[in-house]
């Protein structure tokens, strides 16, 4: 197959196998999370079973990217029946084949059970997890086999680049993106069309399109899911960007830890080259474009665009001062546009559906959707994509299903190591770039960590600071030494060796680091501390005044004297006779939590 | 050769041959590909001892200080040998809030190796890593490519015992 004109592409699209060519499509998630719970074995079993029953002609198994419903994986979706099975085990495959696929009897025990609802959900589209979602960036994730270029083509793949090459000048493409009001999803929210325009305007013999796939936020994996679930869409978007700014070369800078994503990208690039969708004279035009992969090597700061460029050139990834911006002097000192993976994933959809379609979604200054990674104390862990302007309440209670044990959720940490906390008074706020900033947090890449009444905010802040002080590149003193000092103060506090003055020290130090650091890492590193200190000052004070309870205790009103706690305590610090109230000797308690786990009547109180 | 750790003649000839072939296959400016070359070298040798760093420096016509500067900057590169099994405990946020630190403590206790170190028997190297994208299964730990989800500190003993007994059997 060789595609040398738009017509060739259309003809090919017609010939590619489609979902409707099969009576049933069985979609099995092969994302990282499901893969680690045996989805590969499930796929093998499924194929074998279908083969045994001679069903492989009418029923097709599709290995897809992530469905987003990771906490319930492995997931199998049956189309067109619109049935989703959760937590499927290898042993369940036979029953799904024999009962559902052969006899149209749904296997009820594998359906998802909504919280507080008697019935399990028969239709996937009826699941609350999906109802409020709107999938643009994730449109193909969980729908197609990412390793099969034909499945991408069937879903209008490479039609957006075809459309612009046939109908638009580069300037017009930039106008379309500007009109859509798409803002960068890598954290800063800079308008993408404007960035392209600035890069286009600089005169140069060479320019570069760079895809930032470094994804450093330690609680976010949306970029990874897009790369694993829909790699061709990123290639297509980079081509469109290349055409717009006048670049013939694209580079993808990806974390070395993302092995599966890297392999899928490599395969996608190879497949696109083989059919002529990458290379010279794309689709018969005079536009040439090639894409190369650059590996990172485990440094968070390399997500910062100037550091990323240094790293791609083979140096230590230390940020440079801006200006000059990459749009003027980027990779090899040539004008370069650095865009995030999720930003790119929106591009083909905007081109095909029009900028007006996109700008109608969202809030006044933040258009389109945003993907969030939900984690922490929440029922439905996973990836969700919602229109900008969705409230925290909708995300945590409707999509996320609330707390797994029904406890109260006290805060959400958003924006990772650069972000801050949102407290429950603000859960009704519509989420967009500006509302988050006004609350002292930031969009970041979209990691959302849900915290309940038991979570210790000081520990969370300490966790992030440990991360940033470890990842500081060391170029500037406030960031290198300041974050270390802040970390030491926090450590002192949680070890009950601090004092009330430490709180003021933390604040002053934090403000100074923010104001005097060179790059975004240092400028935002104190945020998690400053923000938790603002909203949960009493938790800091409990440490500072050393009134924090750190040991376990037993509620005498609830204790039934079963002796289980005493028998499980590794340091034998629990006393009490059978059927009498037990006591914990706090001087000996090591706070291991064994008693808490053991107690059948929840009489043990956490510190 | 006075300085033993910089003696390049002790490097495995066959592995060097593969590394040379990789370097030869690079198109364009080879210096710019330093990080890729180091990835390849680590993949072949398991880690990046000083003599190997020197070899890479010579092959790409770079100063050895420049190469060492890059190796020490990026946490993915190891200057010390690694065990047969790398145990990576995810310290991403989702795993942290679900108690990954306790899992890591237990791993350190059971293997006797500290973070970023190799156990005395040469079997295990312990690492803490950032989110591996399996947050739904938090806390997560990987041993080489195998992923263990929803790990409790108490499960660690059993998992490590499994690898140790596998070693004993193969002896
Ligand atoms: C410390 C630091 C880490 C960053 N990490 C990332 C990252 O992992 N991925 C990303 O796309 N952008 C990251 N950024 C933002 C980039 O510098 C850059 O603004 C972004 O890639 C631009 O793409 P966008 O306009 O599409 O958002 C980071 C910035 C800083 C200061
Ligand atoms: S702020 Fe921190 S990470 Fe950024 S350049 Fe300075 S030292 Fe490096
Ligand atoms: S935080 Fe551990 S897998 Fe994401």
């Amino acid at each position: 197959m060789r595609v040398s004109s738009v017509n060739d592409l259309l003809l090919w699209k017609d010939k590619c196998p489609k979902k409707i060519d099969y009576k049933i499509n069985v979609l099995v998630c092969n994302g990282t999370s499901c893969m680690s719970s045996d989805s590969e074995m499930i796929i093998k079993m499924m194929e074998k079973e279908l083969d045994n029953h001679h069903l492989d002609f009418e029923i097709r198994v599709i290995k897809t990217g992530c469905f987003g419903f990771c906490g319930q994986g492995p997931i199998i979706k049956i189309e067109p029946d619109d049935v989703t099975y959760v937590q499927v085990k290898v042993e369940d495959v036979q029953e799904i084949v024999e009962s559902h696929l052969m006899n149209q009897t749904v296997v009820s025990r594998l359906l998802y059970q909504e919280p507080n609802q008697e019935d399990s959900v028969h239709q996937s589209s009826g699941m609350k997890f999906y109802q409020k979602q709107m999938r643009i960036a994730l449109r193909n994730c969980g729908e197609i086999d990412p390793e099969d270029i034909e499945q991408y083509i069937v879903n209008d793949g490479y039609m957006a680049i075809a459309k612009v090459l046939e109908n638009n000048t580069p300037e017009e493409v930039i106008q379309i993106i500007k009109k859509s009001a798409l803002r960068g999803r890598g954290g800063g929210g800079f308008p993408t069309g404007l960035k392209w325009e600035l890069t286009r305007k600089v005169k140069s013999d060479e320019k570069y399109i760079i895809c930032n796939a470094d994804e450093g936020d330690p609680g976010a994996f949306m970029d990874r899911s897009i790369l694993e679930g829909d790699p061709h869409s990123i290639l297509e978007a980079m081509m469109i960007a290349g055409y717009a700014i006048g670049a013939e070369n694209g580079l993808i800078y990806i974390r070395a830890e993302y092995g599966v994503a890297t392999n899928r990208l490599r395969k996608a690039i190879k497949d696109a080259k083989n059919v002529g969708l990458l290379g010279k004279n794309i689709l018969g035009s005079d536009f040439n474009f090639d894409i190369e992969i650059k590996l990172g090597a485990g440094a968070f700061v390399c997500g910062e665009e100037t550091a990323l460029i240094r790293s791609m050139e083979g140096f230590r990834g230390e940020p440079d001062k801006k200006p000059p911006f990459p749009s003027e002097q980027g990779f090899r000192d040539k004008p370069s546009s650095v865009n995030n993976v999720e930003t790119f994933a929106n591009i083909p959809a905007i081109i095909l559906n029009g900028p007006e379609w996109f700008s109608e979604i969202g809030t006044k200054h933040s258009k389109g959707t945003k993907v969030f990674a939900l984690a922490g104390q929440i029922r439905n862990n996973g990836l969700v994509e919602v229109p900008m302007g969705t409230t925290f309440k909708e995300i945590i209670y409707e999509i996320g299903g609330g707390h797994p044990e029904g406890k109260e959720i006290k805060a959400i940490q958003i924006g990772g190591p650069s972000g801050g906390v949102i407290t429950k008074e603000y859960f009704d706020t519509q989420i967009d770039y500006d509302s988050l900033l006004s609350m002292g947090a930031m969009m970041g890449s979209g990691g959302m960590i849900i915290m309940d009444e038991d979570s210790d905010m000081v520990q969370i802040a300490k966790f992030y600071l440990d991360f940033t002080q470890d990842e500081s590149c060391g170029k500037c003193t406030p960031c290198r030494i300041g974050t270390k000092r802040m970390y030491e103060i926090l450590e002192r506090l949680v070890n009950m060796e601090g004092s009330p003055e430490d709180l003021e020290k933390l604040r002053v130090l934090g403000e100074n680091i923010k104001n005097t650091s060179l790059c975004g890492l240092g400028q935002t590193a104190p945020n998690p501390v400053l923000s938790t200190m603002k909203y949960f000052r009493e938790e800091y004070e409990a440490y500072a005044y050393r009134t924090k309870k750190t040991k376990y205790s037993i509620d005498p009103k609830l204790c039934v004297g079963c002796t289980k706690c005493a028998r499980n305590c590794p340091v034998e610090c629990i006393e009490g006779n059978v059927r009498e109230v037990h006591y914990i000797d706090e001087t000996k308690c090591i706070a291991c939590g064994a008693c808490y786990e053991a107690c059948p009547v929840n009489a043990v109180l956490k510190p | 050769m006075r300085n033993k750790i910089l003696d390049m003649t002790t490097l495995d000839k066959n592995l060097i041959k593969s590394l040379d072939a990789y370097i030869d296959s690079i198109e364009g400016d080879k210096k710019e590909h330093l990080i890729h070359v180091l990835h390849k070298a680590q993949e072949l040798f398991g880690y990046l001892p000083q003599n190997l760093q020197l070899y890479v420096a010579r092959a790409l016509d770079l100063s050895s200080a420049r190469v060492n500067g890059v190796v020490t900057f990026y946490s993915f590169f190891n200057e010390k040998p690694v065990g047969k099994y790398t145990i990576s405990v995810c310290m991403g946020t989702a795993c942290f809030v679900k108690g990954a630190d306790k899992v890591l403590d237990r791993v350190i206790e059971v293997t006797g190796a500290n973070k970023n170190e190799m156990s005395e028997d040469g079997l295990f190297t312990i690492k803490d890593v950032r989110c591996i994208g399996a947050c739904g299964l938090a806390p997560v730990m990987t041993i080489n490519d195998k992923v263990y989800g929803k790990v409790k500190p108490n499960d660690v003993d059993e998992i490590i015992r499994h690898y140790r007994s596998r070693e004993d059997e193969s002896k």
Side-chain angles (χ1 to χ4, degrees):
Chain A
M1 178 55 84
R2 207 60 220 164
V3 185
S4 39
S5 68
V6 174
N7 209 30
D8 284 354
L9 183 64
L10 289 170
L11 286 174
W12 186 17
K13 182 179 176 187
D14 258 357
K15 275 192 281 177
C16 292
K18 297 170 192 53
K19 281 187 179 167
I20 47 166
D21 296 340
Y22 293 85
K23 200 171 120 210
I24 296 176
N25 292 279
V26 180
L27 284 67
V28 190
C29 177
N30 208 18
T32 310
S33 195
C34 287
M35 236 156 97
S36 55
S37 37
D38 266 352
S39 70
E40 279 179 309
M41 264 314 280
I42 291 176
I43 293 168
K44 282 210 188 90
M45 268 300 277
M46 184 65 81
E47 282 169 343
K48 204 172 118 215
E49 284 288 322
L50 292 178
D51 200 44
N52 284 348
H53 291 101
H54 307 291
L55 290 168
D56 44 334
F57 286 101
E58 47 184 7
I59 301 181
R60 174 169 69 156
V61 180
I62 303 179
K63 282 188 256 184
T64 71
C66 176
F67 288 88
F69 208 38
C70 311
Q72 296 286 334
I75 312 259
I76 290 185
K77 199 169 156 197
I78 315 269
E79 288 182 357
D81 305 7
D82 195 21
V83 169
T84 298
Y85 292 126
V86 299
Q87 301 192 7
V88 179
K89 300 207 171 52
V90 181
E91 307 86 86
D92 299 327
V93 172
Q94 195 178 358
E95 188 177 346
I96 295 178
V97 172
E98 287 172 3
S99 164
H100 186 149
L101 301 182
M102 296 172 69
N103 291 308
Q104 287 82 46
T105 313
V106 172
V107 186
S108 314
R109 65 180 179 89
L110 294 175
L111 293 171
Y112 176 65
Q113 186 90 38
E114 256 350 307
N116 317 321
Q117 224 166 300
E118 295 281 296
D119 294 328
S120 35
V121 191
H122 279 256
Q123 243 123 39
S124 320
S125 43
M127 278 159 66
K128 287 214 176 114
F129 183 74
Y130 289 114
Q131 268 173 1
K132 290 239 160 165
Q133 291 201 49
M134 177 172 197
R135 297 174 80 115
I136 299 175
L138 300 176
R139 64 194 173 281
N140 283 327
C141 292
E143 292 290 327
I144 64 170
D145 181 345
E147 297 193 11
D148 182 356
I149 188 171
E150 294 200 333
Q151 295 195 29
Y152 180 66
I153 302 245
V154 166
N155 275 10
D156 294 331
Y158 294 105
M159 288 299 154
I161 181 70
K163 188 171 168 187
V164 300
L165 288 179
E166 272 207 322
N167 303 315
N168 301 110
T169 63
E171 287 79 8
E172 283 166 3
V173 176
I174 289 173
Q175 287 314 315
I176 295 173
I177 301 304
K178 277 177 91 173
K179 209 163 160 192
S180 76
L182 172 67
R183 293 170 66 176
R185 303 295 194 237
F190 193 82
T192 307
L194 183 58
K195 192 184 279 185
W196 290 6
E197 185 167 81
L198 292 171
T199 321
R200 171 154 195 94
K201 276 193 183 143
V202 185
K203 290 216 166 35
S204 173
D205 53 338
E206 288 237 339
K207 293 183 185 179
Y208 296 95
I209 284 293
I210 298 167
C211 173
N212 187 343
D214 197 45
E215 193 153 58
D217 176 350
F221 54 102
M222 54 282 291
D223 293 349
R224 170 181 199 150
S225 286
I226 293 170
L227 295 169
E228 286 181 6
D230 194 14
H232 284 283
S233 72
I234 300 304
L235 307 188
E236 184 178 5
M238 290 176 72
M239 293 162 75
I240 295 169
Y243 177 72
I245 70 160
E248 295 200 340
N249 288 294
L251 298 136
I252 303 175
Y253 184 85
I254 185 164
R255 286 179 62 176
E257 295 86 343
Y258 281 6
V260 177
T262 309
N263 289 339
R264 291 199 183 151
L265 273 174
R266 287 224 162 93
K267 174 156 199 315
I269 293 173
K270 192 164 143 244
D271 291 349
K273 271 190 188 157
N274 277 343
V275 295
L277 282 166
L278 277 175
K280 299 250 177 278
N281 301 103
I282 292 168
L283 295 168
S285 70
D286 48 19
F287 173 58
N288 310 323
F289 199 72
D290 244 322
I291 296 178
E292 196 186 323
I293 292 179
K294 288 273 182 183
L295 287 182
F300 172 64
V301 73
C302 289
E304 197 281 333
E305 53 192 11
T306 58
L308 180 148
I309 288 168
R310 298 295 289 160
S311 179
M312 290 204 310
E313 292 168 344
F315 291 93
R316 293 163 70 100
E318 288 169 0
D320 283 326
K321 65 176 190 314
K322 296 188 270 192
F325 289 94
S327 56
E328 302 154 276
Q329 274 180 32
F331 184 56
R332 296 178 180 155
D333 284 339
K334 304 287 182 188
S336 308
S337 175
V338 182
N339 297 94
N340 162 264
V341 171
E342 190 186 332
T343 312
F344 276 128
N346 281 291
I347 300 288
I350 293 174
I351 298 290
L352 290 177
N353 298 311
E356 295 81 9
W357 162 80
F358 190 81
S359 63
E360 264 168 31
I361 308 162
T363 62
K364 190 154 176 240
H365 296 295
S366 306
K367 301 300 186 188
T369 57
K370 178 75 193 91
V371 184
F372 293 103
L374 286 188
Q377 311 300 337
I378 186 133
R379 204 180 145 91
N380 300 332
N381 272 296
L383 277 191
V384 306
E385 181 172 357
V386 290
M388 295 276 188
T390 305
T391 66
F392 289 101
K393 256 203 185 117
E394 288 170 300
I395 294 185
I396 47 185
Y397 293 106
E398 294 182 38
I399 299 172
H403 192 279
E405 292 141 39
K407 286 191 191 162
E408 178 158 42
I409 291 171
K410 84 171 168 192
I412 299 173
Q413 208 286 346
I414 183 166
S418 316
V421 287
I422 308 292
T423 50
K424 60 175 186 289
E425 298 84 68
Y426 297 96
F427 284 179
D428 276 323
T429 315
Q430 295 196 322
I431 306 172
D432 67 14
Y433 289 101
D434 312 300
S435 69
L436 288 176
L437 278 181
S438 71
M439 288 184 279
M442 75 182 242
M443 188 74 86
S445 54
M448 260 196 204
I449 311 296
I450 317 298
M451 275 163 305
D452 66 15
E453 50 201 51
D454 294 337
S455 311
D456 183 332
M457 304 312 279
V458 184
Q459 293 282 3
I460 290 289
K462 181 165 159 271
F463 164 78
Y464 279 118
L465 205 63
D466 185 24
F467 176 85
T468 37
Q469 64 96 13
D470 192 35
E471 292 292 345
S472 163
C473 80
K475 190 165 177 168
C476 23
T477 323
C479 172
R480 182 183 69 240
I481 301 176
T483 54
K484 183 106 191 135
R485 290 292 103 84
M486 280 182 82
Y487 181 75
E488 286 163 3
I489 297 178
L490 281 175
E491 204 157 41
R492 199 151 74 212
L493 284 172
V494 301
N495 289 337
M496 297 287 216
E497 290 159 3
S499 66
E501 292 81 64
D502 281 338
L503 301 186
E504 183 58 14
K505 276 191 205 147
L506 268 181
R507 196 188 58 77
V508 174
L509 204 49
E511 296 294 346
N512 281 334
I513 296 169
K514 282 181 75 152
N515 292 333
T516 52
S517 294
L518 171 66
C519 87
L521 190 148
Q523 287 159 10
T524 59
N527 284 356
V529 177
L530 296 177
S531 143
T532 45
M533 224 168 29
K534 178 166 166 206
Y535 292 109
F536 296 95
R537 194 163 177 95
E538 65 293 350
E539 295 194 19
Y540 280 84
E541 283 173 349
Y543 280 117
Y545 290 95
R546 306 188 195 177
T547 53
K548 169 105 184 158
K549 189 168 164 286
T550 54
K551 305 296 163 83
Y552 282 74
S553 59
I554 293 174
D555 184 343
K557 290 200 283 300
L558 293 177
C559 177
V560 293
C562 73
T563 76
K564 278 213 173 102
C565 55
R567 277 184 278 134
N568 276 289
C569 178
V571 293
E572 297 181 354
C573 72
I574 307 182
E575 304 237 340
N577 293 325
V578 188
R579 265 170 262 136
E580 282 172 20
V581 173
H582 281 51
Y583 293 96
I584 297 179
D585 181 348
E586 293 196 6
T587 58
K588 289 195 206 144
C589 169
I590 55 165
C592 71
C595 50
Y596 180 85
E597 301 289 334
C599 180
V601 294
N602 295 328
V604 178
L605 305 173
K606 273 195 186 175
Chain B
M1 178 70 59
R2 244 174 303 147
N3 197 340
K4 243 193 174 152
I5 44 170
L6 291 180
D7 183 1
M8 293 191 285
T9 57
T10 57
L11 293 164
D12 183 302
K13 300 274 173 320
N14 284 326
L15 296 179
I16 284 291
K17 216 182 249 169
S18 308
L19 185 61
D20 284 341
Y22 178 78
I23 294 173
D24 280 342
S25 74
I26 297 170
E27 289 166 25
D29 181 6
K30 293 193 196 308
K31 292 184 178 136
E32 200 179 272
H33 285 79
L34 171 60
I35 293 176
H36 281 212
V37 173
L38 291 171
H39 271 296
K40 187 73 192 178
Q42 179 159 302
E43 186 189 311
L44 290 166
F45 289 82
Y47 71 113
L48 301 170
Q50 301 228 338
N51 53 353
L52 183 55
Q53 292 181 33
L54 184 62
Y55 187 87
V56 169
R58 296 275 154 84
L60 298 181
D61 194 17
L62 292 167
S63 74
S64 53
R66 161 82 190 283
V67 173
N68 185 253
V70 168
V71 169
T72 49
F73 184 84
Y74 295 98
S75 63
F76 199 81
F77 297 132
N78 303 312
E79 285 194 286
K80 288 194 201 135
V82 290
K84 184 163 177 192
Y85 303 104
T86 301
I87 307 184
S88 309
V89 181
C90 177
M91 280 290 165
T93 322
C95 290
F96 177 79
V97 296
K98 292 253 170 98
D101 49 339
K102 301 216 171 67
V103 174
L104 180 63
D105 287 348
R106 191 69 204 149
V107 170
I108 289 173
E109 226 174 291
V110 177
T111 57
N114 249 321
K115 221 164 71 177
N116 298 321
E117 279 179 12
M118 184 172 71
S119 60
E120 268 175 23
D121 54 11
L123 273 187
F124 303 105
T125 292
I126 318 299
K127 288 207 150 190
D128 57 342
V129 294
R130 315 288 186 215
C131 179
I132 61 161
C135 311
L137 299 172
V140 178
M141 161 175 126
T142 63
I143 300 190
N144 291 355
D145 289 334
K146 170 106 181 100
V147 180
Y148 294 87
K150 303 193 177 159
V151 184
K152 294 195 197 67
N154 287 338
D155 301 339
V156 171
D157 303 58
E158 182 59 40
I159 297 172
I160 306 267
R161 199 174 316 132
H162 168 77
Y163 283 86
R164 282 203 175 122
S165 60
R166 193 153 87 183
E167 258 343 276
D168 291 343
E169 274 161 30
S170 64
K171 260 180 208 156

